Amino acid sequence: MILVISFLVILMSVYVFTYPKYKTEQILAAFFGVFYTAVMLTYIYQTRMLEKGVYIVWLIFLCSWGSDTCAYCVGVLIGKHKMSPKLSPKKSVEGAVGGVAGAMLLTLLYTWIFRQPMQVDIEEMLVLSCIGGVGALISMVGDLAASAIKRNYEIKDYGNLIPGHGGILDRFDSVIFTAPIIYYLAVYLIK
């Protein structure tokens, strides 16, 4: 947190002492860019450093990418009600429910497979599954937030590094939001 505050103070100092060279939007974009990516992604490392972190850290990706895949499959099969027509017209409420349920089931399966090395009982497996569901919901918010930013700047993808998928940030937009949530839920809910 000290680094974040220091960075903000430095940015504001540059803004003040070079006024009117930079616009407020540029300073906010610089702060947001660092905080949104660098700070939020540090929670992957922090999760890995927890007592059972070597296993829990994978929930971040399972919730993000697993729920995305499940939401897509369910949405294609039975999606009828648009979740956010202006922001992301292909996403459906049914897909969102399928994504959350899918993430919970995938987390339950994952914890069942690794229950011995993780040293978890059924109760902890269910708690982790619920964490997976919450992570899936937050993952969707992260995905939609990234879509909103792209719509605001009238761009389709953040880059073109991965053909058909955009840039690295396009693959990690939901992970960025999910990582801190999984970390804090694991810290407070897992023994």
Side-chain angles (χ1 to χ4, degrees), residues 82-95:
K82 300 296 179 193
M83 187 167 68
S84 183
K86 287 188 179 182
L87 190 55
S88 195
K90 292 184 179 179
K91 288 186 172 48
S92 67
V93 173
E94 294 83 0

Side-chain angles (χ1 to χ4, degrees), residues 63-183:
C63 292
S64 299
W65 299 334
S67 86
D68 194 35
T69 303
C70 292
Y72 175 78
C73 292
V74 171
V76 165
L77 289 173
I78 61 170
K80 298 225 185 310
H81 302 90
K82 300 296 179 193
M83 187 167 68
S84 183
K86 287 188 179 182
L87 190 55
S88 195
K90 292 184 179 179
K91 288 186 172 48
S92 67
V93 173
E94 294 83 0
V97 171
V100 172
M104 291 178 77
L105 287 171
L106 287 169
T107 302
L108 198 58
L109 178 64
Y110 173 77
T111 55
W112 177 259
I113 291 169
F114 292 102
R115 69 188 177 282
Q116 296 296 337
M118 284 179 78
Q119 299 175 352
V120 292
D121 56 20
I122 297 294
E123 183 182 324
E124 286 176 310
M125 289 169 59
L126 293 174
V127 168
L128 285 165
S129 182
C130 289
I131 289 173
V134 172
L137 285 170
I138 298 301
S139 167
M140 289 179 209
V141 172
D143 188 44
L144 289 170
S147 292
I149 292 167
K150 290 186 282 190
R151 298 282 183 277
N152 218 17
Y153 288 95
E154 298 177 356
I155 58 174
K156 184 180 179 333
D157 293 318
Y158 286 118
N160 55 10
L161 183 65
I162 308 167
H165 292 279
I168 296 295
L169 195 54
D170 290 297
R171 293 295 96 215
F172 280 85
D173 52 10
S174 56
V175 171
I176 289 170
F177 270 63
T178 307
I181 300 303
I182 297 296
Y183 171 78

Side-chain angles (χ1 to χ4, degrees), residues 42-59:
T42 64
Y43 282 97
I44 295 172
Y45 172 76
Q46 292 180 57
T47 304
R48 170 59 183 87
M49 293 294 103
L50 294 174
E51 185 180 336
K52 297 177 184 178
V54 70
Y55 297 100
I56 294 173
V57 73
W58 292 104
L59 293 183

